[in-house]
């Protein structure tokens, strides 16, 4: 087995123990993984589902599942609801999980229905059962005839909200349906927000306006995302004031032409026997004008198709993707797809990803939609490295930093760089502002440093008397090569009143352990550990050996920080969260 396989097996075993799960769940995990090509469920999704299940079992009411785009979030939810939650007694027969699609996209809704409504095989009973998941559009959830009746009718135990950043303003239907109506009648109903960019709920967690448990999705080594695309040099920065369609005034008339970059990318596509190029335009009129130009210039080389919601487009979104797939996969054509507000979060191009040759994404004013658009649709599990992307490198570089370390979105320097690059918000409702507001400050009352040798020497255990023996053994395990040489992101310490940061959970460039290693009694405990809800102790864990290039502190061991009483202080901020999770004040 590879190091990753050994790590995942150990992680699954640990989580099963923490869940006190019955043998039936272990048997279903083994069966699912042995038949991954049939089930479509892989180790990272199993671990994700177990982590979420543990959070649910612990009684958390608001949860956020943060995972990379196209990394398998739907499969995680499917395994969670049909295997994990029933096994740990969260749902019983005839009870269900409600999966609410936040976007009014029929194709995405149907895609979710296909994946989440399918029957599942129980290897323990050797029976095929109906899915425990009920997929519902936001509008239906709001008008059916009210959310309370939906929950009662389907005996809903948990609501999963897909792509959380969409439609979550204070005036959104979900705010009125869930927080204003359902939570009033059923205070214990649980919410799981699922997204690669759930900035609204993460901001609420950081500022303390909501108590949120964040579950980090596993990023398997075969996943290819924005970080890897940037590293491989596949993304070219947008030219200044770029638009795919240009025009000039000639004797009072507009004369249109395609931007030279568009022509260059078209020629790249023509260098392949078949393949797909995707261009986003801002309006139907511009898309059709660009279509006419490209059809004229590349008449014998490429098919050019415009898709969108307007009747003047060649196809709607769903039919357009099907047509493109047929032209490329069945007839070996080169196709250019010009889209108008399509291919947003959740859209899966499937096997077409292997045939992508270029993408042009002009959106560069908001982090969520700039990353989730065309670039995000190119992410996933494929071996295609022959494509080119024209997009905002600055925006995507900041997203890549978030992808590697989700807590960075609260980093003032990171936000200021985005703001100065004219990126005006993280999501529709989480925007950047320059203001002052009150905030929670948790003082640090003591700091103690212990080397690894001190930890294992006589008296080391006594220094950590505030944790139990199992937690102490886990802490020592973090210093083993088999732990720090694999992906440890999302590892949970599992000790009440204690929060930890582990160096091997972060990348080298933005390692939260080493960035906070020199913190003092003047620092905010909540900022060091990204926890505004109260913890008595925090532990920074430098688990790399001394002399390792990744160990920038040149120290192997821990720092123990003890928190004091929370207080309110005036603080600088550059985020305003008008979503349902926050309030109208700057946070």
């Amino acid at each position: 087995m590879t190091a990753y396989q050994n790590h995942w097996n150990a992680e699954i075993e640990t989580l099963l123990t923490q869940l006190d799960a019955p043998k039936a769940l272990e048997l279903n995990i083994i069966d699912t993984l042995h038949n991954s090509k049939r089930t479509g469920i892989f180790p990272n999704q199993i671990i994700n589902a177990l982590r979420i299940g543990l959070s649910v079992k612990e009684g958390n009411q608001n949860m956020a599942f943060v995972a990379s785009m196209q990394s398998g979030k739907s499969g995680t939810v499917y395994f969670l609801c049909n295997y994990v939650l029933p096994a740990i007694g969260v749902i019983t027969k005839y009870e269900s999980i409600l999966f609410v699609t936040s976007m009014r996209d029929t194709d995405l809704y149907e895609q979710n229905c296909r994946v989440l409504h399918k029957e599942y095989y129980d290897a323990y009973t050797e029976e095929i059962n109906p899915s425990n998941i009920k997929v519902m559009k936001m509008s239906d959830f709001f008008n059916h005839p009210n959310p309370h009746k939906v929950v009662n009718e389907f005996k809903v135990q948990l609501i999963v909200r897909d792509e959380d950043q969409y439609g979550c303003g204070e005036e959104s239907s979900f705010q009125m349906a869930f927080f204003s109506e359902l939570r009033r009648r059923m205070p214990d109903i649980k919410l799981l927000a699922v997204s690669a960019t759930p900035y609204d709920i993460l901001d609420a967690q950081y500022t303390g306006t909501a108590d949120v448990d964040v579950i980090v999705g596993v990023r398997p080594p075969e996943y290819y995302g924005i970080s890897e695309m940037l590293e491989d040099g596949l993304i070219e920065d947008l030219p200044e004031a770029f638009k795919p369609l240009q025009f000039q005034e000639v004797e009072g008339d507009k004369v249109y032409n395609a931007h030279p970059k568009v022509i260059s990318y078209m020629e790249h596509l023509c260098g392949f026997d078949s393949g797909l190029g995707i261009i986003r335009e801002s309006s139907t009129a511009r898309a059709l004008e660009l279509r006419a130009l490209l059809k004229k210039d590349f008449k014998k080389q490429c098919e050019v198709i415009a898709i969108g919601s307007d009747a003047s487009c060649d196809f709607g979104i769903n039919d357009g993707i099907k047509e493109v797939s047929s032209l490329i996969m069945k007839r070996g054509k080169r196709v250019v797809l010009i889209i108008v507000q399509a291919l947003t979060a959740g859209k899966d191009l499937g096997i077409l990803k292997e045939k992508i040759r270029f993408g042009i994404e002009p959106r560069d004013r908001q982090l969520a939609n700039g990353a989730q658009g065309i670039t995000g649709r190119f992410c996933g599990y494929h071996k295609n490295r022959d494509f080119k992307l024209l997009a905002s490198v600055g925006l995507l570089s900041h997203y890549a930093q978030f992808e590697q370390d989700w807590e960075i979105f609260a980093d003032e320097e990171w936000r200021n760089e985005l703001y100065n690059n004219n990126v005006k918000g993280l999501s529709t409702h989480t925007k950047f502002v320059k203001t002052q507001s009150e905030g929670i400050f948790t003082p640090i009352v003591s700091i103690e440093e212990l080397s690894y040798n001190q930890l294992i020497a006589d008296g080391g255990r006594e220094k950590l008397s505030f944790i139990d023996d199992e937690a102490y053994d886990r802490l020592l395990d973090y210093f083993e090569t088999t732990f720090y040489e694999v992906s440890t992101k999302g590892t949970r310490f599992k000790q009440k009143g204690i929060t930890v940061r582990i160096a091997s959970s972060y990348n080298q460039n933005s390692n939260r352990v080493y960035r906070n290693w020199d913190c003092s009694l003047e620092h905010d405990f909540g900022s060091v550990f990204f926890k505004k809800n109260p913890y008595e102790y925090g532990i920074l864990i430098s688990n790399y050996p001394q002399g390792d290039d990744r160990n920038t502190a040149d120290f192997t061991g821990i720092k123990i920080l003890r928190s004091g009483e929370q207080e309110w202080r005036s603080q600088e901020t550059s985020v305003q969260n008008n979503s349902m999770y926050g309030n109208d004040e700057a946070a």
Side-chain angles (χ1 to χ4, degrees):
M1 288 188 180
T2 66
Y4 276 102
Q5 287 172 319
N6 287 326
H7 173 67
W8 287 346
N9 289 340
E11 175 82 351
I12 289 172
E13 185 176 336
T14 299
L15 288 166
L16 286 172
T17 301
Q18 292 173 347
L19 282 164
D20 192 22
K23 189 70 176 179
L25 180 55
E26 182 179 350
L27 183 61
N28 274 309
I29 289 174
I30 294 170
D31 178 74
T32 299
L33 293 179
H34 280 173
N35 298 282
S36 285
K37 290 185 178 179
R38 171 178 58 81
T39 64
I41 306 293
F42 296 88
N44 64 305
Q45 294 159 304
I46 300 286
I47 293 173
N48 293 340
L50 293 173
R51 287 179 177 177
I52 298 169
L54 188 59
S55 181
V56 172
K57 187 172 183 178
E58 289 171 344
N60 291 299
Q61 192 175 24
N62 297 316
M63 294 159 284
F65 174 48
V66 186
S68 300
M69 292 175 286
Q70 300 287 299
S71 64
K73 292 186 287 294
S74 296
T76 291
V77 172
Y78 181 82
F79 193 85
L80 168 74
C81 298
N82 289 318
Y83 293 100
V84 178
L85 297 184
I88 62 176
V90 173
I91 63 171
T92 59
K93 192 173 184 179
Y94 303 126
E95 292 180 334
S96 65
I97 306 301
L98 183 63
F99 185 94
V100 180
T101 58
S102 299
M103 293 180 289
R104 296 183 180 183
D105 188 312
T106 299
D107 180 42
L108 183 57
Y109 167 75
E110 292 175 351
Q111 177 181 300
N112 283 325
C113 286
R114 287 192 300 271
V115 173
L116 300 176
H117 280 172
K118 66 182 179 183
E119 299 170 333
Y120 70 96
Y121 174 69
D122 187 334
Y124 183 72
T125 63
E126 298 184 341
E127 295 176 343
I128 295 177
N129 300 311
S131 175
N132 294 315
I133 305 169
K134 168 64 179 175
V135 180
M136 182 172 279
K137 291 182 180 179
M138 178 72 72
S139 55
D140 293 337
F141 175 60
F142 185 50
N143 297 314
H144 185 71
N146 65 56
H148 188 253
K149 289 187 177 180
V150 172
V151 170
N152 279 339
E153 181 180 346
F154 295 101
K155 297 183 180 179
V156 173
Q157 303 303 305
L158 168 72
I159 294 178
V160 180
R161 186 153 192 254
D162 188 34
E163 293 305 338
D164 184 71
Q165 75 273 21
Y166 286 89
C168 60
E170 282 288 349
E171 301 303 320
S172 77
S173 58
F174 194 79
Q175 157 66 14
M176 293 182 282
F178 186 82
F179 285 100
S180 299
E181 171 67 17
L182 189 57
R183 275 261 168 97
R184 179 178 63 82
R185 297 195 189 189
M186 303 179 68
D188 295 330
I189 192 74
K190 297 178 184 296
L191 172 67
L192 172 65
V194 177
S195 178
T197 56
Y199 298 125
D200 302 73
I201 197 168
L202 294 182
D203 183 63
Q205 154 73 355
Y206 179 69
T207 57
T209 54
D211 187 7
V212 183
D213 187 44
V214 180
I215 300 101
V216 180
V218 174
R219 187 185 179 94
E222 63 270 23
Y223 174 79
Y224 196 73
I226 289 177
S227 298
E228 291 78 11
M229 294 178 199
L230 286 165
E231 186 176 337
D232 290 346
L234 300 185
I235 304 176
E236 181 181 6
D237 201 13
L238 291 169
E240 187 175 354
F242 171 80
K243 290 184 178 180
L245 182 69
Q246 299 180 310
F247 70 87
Q248 295 175 315
E249 293 280 353
V250 178
E251 297 180 356
D253 294 327
K254 289 183 178 179
V255 178
Y256 290 95
N257 62 283
H259 192 282
K261 283 293 180 186
V262 174
I263 301 301
S264 173
Y265 278 50
M266 291 289 295
E267 291 170 349
H268 175 74
L269 168 63
C270 292
F272 296 86
D273 292 336
S274 64
L276 172 65
I278 306 177
I279 305 171
R280 185 188 302 281
E281 256 298 357
S282 58
S283 70
T284 301
R286 292 181 59 85
L288 298 182
E289 190 68 46
L290 181 60
R291 180 188 64 178
L293 287 171
L294 296 182
K295 276 190 170 184
K296 178 183 176 183
D297 293 342
F298 295 88
K299 183 177 181 180
K300 295 182 179 180
Q301 297 162 286
C302 301
E303 302 278 345
V304 184
I305 294 173
I307 66 170
S309 56
D310 194 285
S312 57
C313 291
D314 297 302
F315 299 96
I317 298 167
N318 190 26
D319 291 340
I321 297 296
K322 290 179 181 177
E323 177 67 15
V324 168
S325 181
S326 176
L327 286 170
I328 296 173
M329 305 306 296
K330 295 182 179 180
R331 299 173 58 189
K333 298 284 189 179
R334 304 185 196 95
V335 180
V336 177
L337 185 64
I338 304 174
I339 64 172
V340 183
Q341 302 306 322
L343 291 188
T344 50
K347 288 289 196 312
D348 188 358
L349 295 177
I351 60 174
L352 272 177
K353 292 177 186 177
E354 296 288 356
K355 292 288 188 176
I356 289 170
R357 307 308 179 199
F358 77 78
I360 297 177
E361 175 58 272
R363 297 192 300 190
D364 60 355
R365 293 293 180 267
Q366 185 205 102
L367 186 59
N369 67 23
Q372 289 266 39
I374 292 174
T375 311
R377 300 315 93 205
F378 289 11
C379 298
Y381 304 97
H382 60 84
K383 301 187 183 300
N384 182 7
R385 305 293 184 265
D386 291 328
F387 61 88
K388 299 170 62 175
L389 267 164
L390 187 66
S392 171
V393 169
L395 182 148
L396 294 177
S397 296
H398 279 77
Y399 174 77
Q401 292 172 344
F402 170 81
E403 192 174 43
Q404 298 296 328
D405 172 16
W406 64 270
E407 297 175 12
I408 200 172
F409 97 96
D411 187 289
E412 187 174 337
E413 182 179 346
W414 182 82
R415 296 185 306 200
N416 285 339
E417 287 177 356
L418 277 169
Y419 186 84
N420 293 335
N421 285 332
N422 211 26
V423 179
K424 298 307 182 185
L426 296 169
S427 68
T428 303
H429 298 282
T430 307
K431 301 181 183 299
F432 294 128
V433 294
K434 290 185 177 180
T435 185
Q436 287 238 359
S437 72
E438 287 184 321
I440 297 173
F441 184 91
T442 306
I444 300 170
V445 297
S446 68
I447 300 175
E448 184 171 9
E449 186 177 270
L450 295 174
S451 70
Y452 176 72
N453 289 333
Q454 288 175 306
L455 283 176
I456 61 176
D458 293 341
R461 177 69 185 92
E462 187 177 338
K463 293 280 189 180
L464 292 163
S465 58
F466 53 89
I467 67 176
D468 61 29
D469 289 341
E470 289 186 7
Y472 176 71
D473 290 338
R474 278 198 303 277
L475 177 62
L476 297 184
D477 287 343
Y478 295 161
F479 293 89
E480 297 293 331
T481 306
T482 51
F483 181 87
Y484 64 72
E485 288 296 353
V486 298
S487 176
T488 61
K489 184 189 258 186
T491 299
R492 298 163 73 93
F493 189 58
K494 298 302 300 162
Q495 187 76 47
K496 188 174 181 181
I498 317 295
T499 182
V500 304
R501 287 189 186 275
I502 309 171
S504 59
S505 293
Y506 300 93
N507 63 38
Q508 192 170 358
N509 294 329
S510 61
N511 196 300
R512 298 272 142 191
V513 170
Y514 299 127
R515 288 184 66 175
N516 289 290
W517 193 257
D518 294 326
C519 63
S520 68
L521 299 182
E522 302 300 317
H523 286 79
D524 177 21
F525 180 94
S527 294
V528 172
F529 289 98
F530 198 86
K531 301 286 185 183
K532 292 298 182 179
N533 44 324
Y535 284 85
E536 185 175 0
Y537 292 95
I539 306 176
L540 296 175
I541 304 171
S542 176
N543 60 332
Y544 291 120
Q546 284 182 271
D548 191 305
D549 289 342
R550 295 166 293 184
N551 188 342
T552 56
D554 196 29
F555 178 87
T556 301
I558 66 173
K559 271 195 174 181
I560 306 169
L561 283 64
R562 189 167 188 176
S563 68
E565 293 293 324
Q566 289 186 339
E567 57 191 64
W568 283 94
R569 290 191 182 181
S570 180
Q571 64 180 41
E572 291 288 339
T573 183
S574 57
V575 169
Q576 181 176 350
N577 185 353
N578 293 329
S579 86
M580 62 194 177
Y581 299 110
N583 50 51
D584 289 332
E585 300 174 1

